[in-house]
Amino acid sequence: MIVLGIETSCDETSAAIVDDTRLLSNVIATQTVHESYGGVVPEFASRAHLRTLVPIIRRALAQAGIDLNELQGCAVTYGPGLAGSLLVGLSLCKGLSLSLGIPWIGINHLEGHIVAPGADGEPPAYPHISLIVSGGHTLLVLVEKPLVYRIVGRSIDDAAGEAFDKVAKVLELGYPGGPAIEKAGLDGNPHSIDFPKALLERDNLDFSFSGLKTAVLYHAQSLGQEKMRQLRADIAASFQQAVIEALVFKAFAALQIHDCKTLVIAGGVARNQQLRRRFEHDCRKSGVTLRIPHPDLCTDNAGMIARAGHMRLSRGESSDFDLDCAPNLSLQSTIS
Ligand code: KG4
Ligand code: ZN
């Protein structure tokens, strides 16, 4: 089955084609219009999707060497995300389904992140623990078998990516914050400041990043603007280190509690090289199989949506045309 995936939940416009085993193309256009505003401006995001989605789909088809008429299904993110942005992808997917006479399915964006490592290769062994670290979510999910999930931990306040973005603002590093903090931290000492790591008890799988974010804010304020700028690299590296420590601690606790030997990490924060290296090292040492998708499959992308859609459409599932976008959709609502 050849499936087109569409992703327009936030500020990436993306289209991808998968067949039964492979990812044939995954085209991602990151909107740059938001950079000067310090965050995503919802109306600009939907307008940019409207302008670029059709050319992006054309490019995904061309790269895959597939004709529009060869598509046998299409899948689209219907939540969570920005309503106006979701509507662009959802409307186009419904239109394609109607005109081509093929089934379509609305996909939970979080499920996309979970299945991402299987988008361009063998899926990870089951059961496994999936750590989703994105701008909107930090979740530990027990994936018992394909498409069967149990949420075992979550952030009780800020998501990890959100903390990166907010700390980047404090350090005057611009938007998006994650890559900017990673870059600034390259010249810093990650052990220079001992920031707090909340909730480090082995039997509690929840995260908390807001105390850490506030500690960075107070630290920066106590230094004053000039000194903060001088010491920015150390602050960025130490903050990043504190986030990674918390993620490693909880991920390994989840593996132990749920008796799993495979760990998946996905979501935009999983692009972070320090995080990838640290998990690779610790997993090797403890005999855990680690699957972190290619960076293009970590960030918001349609490849993961196409794969989730392929999995569900192959089981005979599909969506009805009255499906609305769901800006606040939780993973819980997709758990059957
Ligand atoms: O999964 P994603 O692309 O979008 C959401 O579903 O939220 O994740 C975006 C988040 C942003 O908060 C961004 O700052 C963060 O991922 N991010 C990073 C890096 N690249 C992106 N965080 C840390 N290090 C990075 N290299
Ligand atoms: Zn995402």
Side-chain angles (χ1 to χ4, degrees):
M1 184 186 249
I2 297 172
V3 174
L4 165 73
I6 297 171
E7 159 64 40
T8 62
S9 66
C10 192
D11 59 342
E12 261 94 22
T13 311
S14 181
I17 313 283
V18 295
D19 67 10
D20 294 340
T21 54
R22 286 174 312 142
L23 179 67
L24 303 178
S25 63
N26 188 21
V27 180
I28 305 165
T30 302
Q31 303 173 357
T32 50
V33 57
H34 312 286
E35 276 165 17
S36 51
Y37 296 89
V40 178
V41 184
E43 184 176 332
F44 290 169
S46 17
R47 286 173 185 269
H49 289 307
L50 204 53
R51 280 195 304 273
T52 53
L53 185 53
V54 169
I56 295 285
I57 290 176
R58 285 219 171 99
R59 219 186 307 157
L61 287 163
Q63 280 185 15
I66 296 288
D67 191 75
L68 194 61
N69 293 315
E70 290 177 80
L71 293 179
Q72 291 159 304
C74 45
V76 63
T77 302
Y78 78 104
L82 301 168
S85 290
L86 293 164
L87 286 176
V88 177
L90 196 53
S91 306
L92 201 134
C93 189
K94 287 185 186 186
L96 267 181
S97 162
L98 195 63
S99 58
L100 297 174
I102 56 175
W104 77 282
I105 188 153
I107 293 294
N108 186 323
H109 179 84
L110 296 165
E111 178 167 86
H113 280 306
I114 292 173
V115 306
D120 65 348
E122 277 294 303
Y126 300 95
H128 61 257
I129 293 290
S130 181
L131 170 63
I132 305 174
V133 270
S134 72
H137 297 85
T138 301
L139 290 175
L140 276 166
V141 181
L142 171 63
V143 185
E144 293 173 304
K145 46 189 176 173
L147 308 177
V148 178
Y149 316 114
R150 183 141 64 92
I151 298 169
V152 296
R154 68 178 82 225
S155 176
I156 59 168
D157 39 54
D158 292 348
E162 193 180 353
F164 268 95
D165 293 334
K166 288 179 176 169
V167 164
K169 253 188 199 158
V170 171
L171 300 183
E172 302 172 357
L173 284 169
Y175 177 86
I181 293 219
E182 178 168 16
K183 191 159 168 248
L186 287 175
D187 300 323
N189 173 3
H191 304 291
S192 53
I193 308 153
D194 191 19
F195 286 127
K197 298 157 201 78
L199 304 179
L200 291 192
E201 307 114 37
R202 278 222 167 259
D203 53 347
N204 175 354
L205 296 181
D206 287 339
F207 300 92
S208 166
F209 293 110
S210 99
L212 169 61
K213 171 198 69 186
T214 309
V216 177
L217 176 68
Y218 289 166
H219 186 82
Q221 283 174 344
S222 73
L223 292 173
Q225 197 179 41
E226 204 172 314
K227 195 103 195 189
M228 181 282 281
R229 286 179 181 163
Q230 281 167 17
L231 298 174
R232 188 153 50 194
D234 282 345
I235 305 172
S238 301
F239 160 76
Q240 181 174 268
Q241 180 69 18
V243 174
I244 294 173
E245 289 297 339
L247 295 175
V248 166
F249 186 88
K250 297 286 172 171
F252 276 88
L255 287 164
Q256 194 184 27
I257 291 169
H258 296 285
D259 200 17
C260 288
K261 279 278 166 212
T262 302
L263 175 66
V264 165
I265 311 179
V269 181
R271 294 174 68 94
N272 186 289
Q273 290 300 323
Q274 303 299 326
L275 177 147
R276 294 171 87 98
R277 276 201 280 275
R278 173 64 189 276
F279 271 101
E280 276 159 16
H281 172 268
D282 287 18
C283 286
R284 206 177 313 118
K285 234 174 62 184
S286 34
V288 168
T289 303
L290 177 66
R291 293 286 302 274
I292 311 184
H294 182 279
D296 279 355
L297 284 165
C298 287
T299 206
D300 288 349
N301 71 91
M304 65 186 195
I305 302 303
R307 179 53 63 207
H310 187 287
M311 290 166 82
R312 290 201 175 270
L313 289 166
S314 310
R315 295 173 164 208
E317 293 179 34
S318 63
S319 295
D320 293 328
F321 282 117
D322 62 359
L323 182 71
D324 196 355
C325 71
N328 299 317
L329 189 67
S330 65
L331 183 62
Q332 195 61 44
S333 52
T334 298
I335 294 174
S336 41

